[in-house]
Amino acid sequence: MPKNLTANRAALGHRLSYALRHPARVPRHLRRTVRDAWLRHRSPDHVAYYRAVMRSDTRRDPDAAVGSRSRERWLALGAMQFDYLLEHGLLPEHRMLEIGCGNLRAGWRFIEYLDPGHYYGVDISPDILFAAQDTLRAQGLQDRLPTLTPVRDLTLGFLPAGRFDVVHAHSVFSHSPLPVIEECFAHLGRLLAPGGWFDFTFDRTEGAEHHVLREDFYYRTETLLALAADHGLTARFMADWERLGHGQSKIRVTHRTDG
């Protein structure tokens, strides 16, 4: 299905039209709205808010918590991410950091492919990392020695400089306000090895930037390219990702000297 790049999903008119076209989805949206109001009251900063969202969603279904409506879709989306990075030069000897690794939808494939000990996954949600441990056990990957670590934020100051050839964040910035994204950009360059790259997806709009509740954020491409440049990074829109038909778009970030 083609992306709708002009709709403002937060606008009342769009919400009413969507409800009329998809009445079966209205109860779920109302539950999310009530949860949003409650969690905003209890968790004023965004990371704490979204950690609580993930706790709630993971208890229901870990696959759905990372955006997969079925196990088949979970497998397909993980394969899409893995195959894309393979096409772009991911090698077994690379060291990889996955930000927002979730329950290892793509991560288990990276862990299986990379040399033992070369995968490092972080997530703000301890609950989804428990589910990630279940995935490791189910896939029989314990001897690949991945590291899975909960984090408070995206400063990632405990990680060594110049360590990672590939940094990957799928469906993370689609749930993040700009200050969280900027925090990541401000510290990312320190982590990248020479020649390394950082791929992330985002919900793209060509209209007004907006968010739905505090869970889904829509950005213009140029906003994120400029933000990366402000932190001494080079960023480019990955047009070849678009042909895969995923609902989000992708940007690649490198050190400015790497081009």
Side-chain angles (χ1 to χ4, degrees):
M1 179 181 296
K3 299 176 185 179
N4 186 339
L5 296 177
T6 58
N8 184 337
R9 292 160 181 82
L12 179 60
H14 178 87
R15 290 155 61 190
L16 291 174
S17 173
Y18 187 89
L20 290 173
R21 287 182 284 115
H22 305 284
R25 300 180 186 178
V26 171
R28 179 178 179 273
H29 182 74
L30 290 176
R31 288 194 297 270
R32 286 180 65 197
T33 301
V34 171
R35 181 179 71 178
D36 173 73
W38 172 243
L39 293 182
R40 280 199 204 201
H41 173 70
R42 297 192 61 190
S43 308
D45 77 274
H46 184 76
V47 171
Y49 165 86
Y50 205 73
R51 184 179 292 118
V53 168
M54 287 299 294
R55 181 182 305 116
S56 173
D57 287 347
T58 302
R59 286 173 179 171
R60 291 186 177 90
D61 181 354
D63 291 355
V66 298
S68 301
R69 56 184 176 268
S70 67
R71 175 50 52 141
E72 291 73 22
R73 184 63 175 161
W74 186 86
L75 290 167
L77 287 174
M80 180 187 296
Q81 297 170 58
F82 177 75
D83 291 344
Y84 185 82
L85 281 185
L86 244 59
E87 291 172 8
H88 281 260
L90 181 69
L91 299 173
E93 60 265 29
H94 280 156
R95 295 186 183 276
M96 181 177 189
L97 169 65
E98 187 162 33
I99 298 172
C101 64
N103 67 337
L104 301 180
R105 177 170 60 182
W108 74 265
R109 298 175 189 273
F110 295 131
I111 292 165
E112 186 176 58
Y113 173 76
L114 295 171
D115 290 344
H118 281 215
Y119 176 91
Y120 204 113
V122 300
D123 205 289
I124 64 167
S125 169
D127 299 270
I128 202 67
L129 288 176
F130 296 150
Q133 293 174 355
D134 294 338
T135 300
L136 277 179
R137 185 173 60 251
Q139 298 296 333
L141 296 172
Q142 298 94 325
D143 63 349
R144 307 301 290 178
L145 298 175
T147 301
L148 302 174
T149 302
V151 293
R152 296 187 184 93
D153 52 39
L154 295 186
T155 60
L156 304 174
F158 63 96
L159 293 174
R163 178 71 168 178
F164 298 102
D165 304 289
V166 180
V167 180
H168 186 247
H170 185 93
S171 196
V172 174
F173 291 170
S174 54
H175 302 300
S176 302
L178 276 179
V180 172
I181 298 174
E182 183 165 21
E183 178 180 79
C184 183
F185 285 171
H187 297 275
L188 176 76
R190 186 186 68 83
L191 301 177
L192 280 176
W197 73 89
F198 169 39
D199 275 10
F200 66 86
T201 62
F202 68 105
D203 279 325
R204 179 161 63 102
T205 182
E206 293 179 357
E209 295 182 330
H210 60 281
H211 63 84
V212 179
L213 305 179
R214 292 288 290 175
E215 295 186 31
D216 302 301
F217 291 77
Y218 294 81
Y219 295 111
R220 296 175 66 88
T221 303
E222 51 266 33
T223 296
L224 299 179
L225 297 182
L227 191 63
D230 288 344
H231 292 279
L233 302 166
T234 295
R236 61 187 174 99
F237 183 78
M238 303 301 285
D240 63 344
W241 173 261
E242 300 291 296
R243 65 179 168 79
L244 301 179
H246 190 271
Q248 297 177 9
S249 295
K250 187 183 287 285
I251 285 175
R252 174 160 298 170
V253 171
T254 61
H255 288 294
R256 183 165 286 165
T257 54
D258 295 332

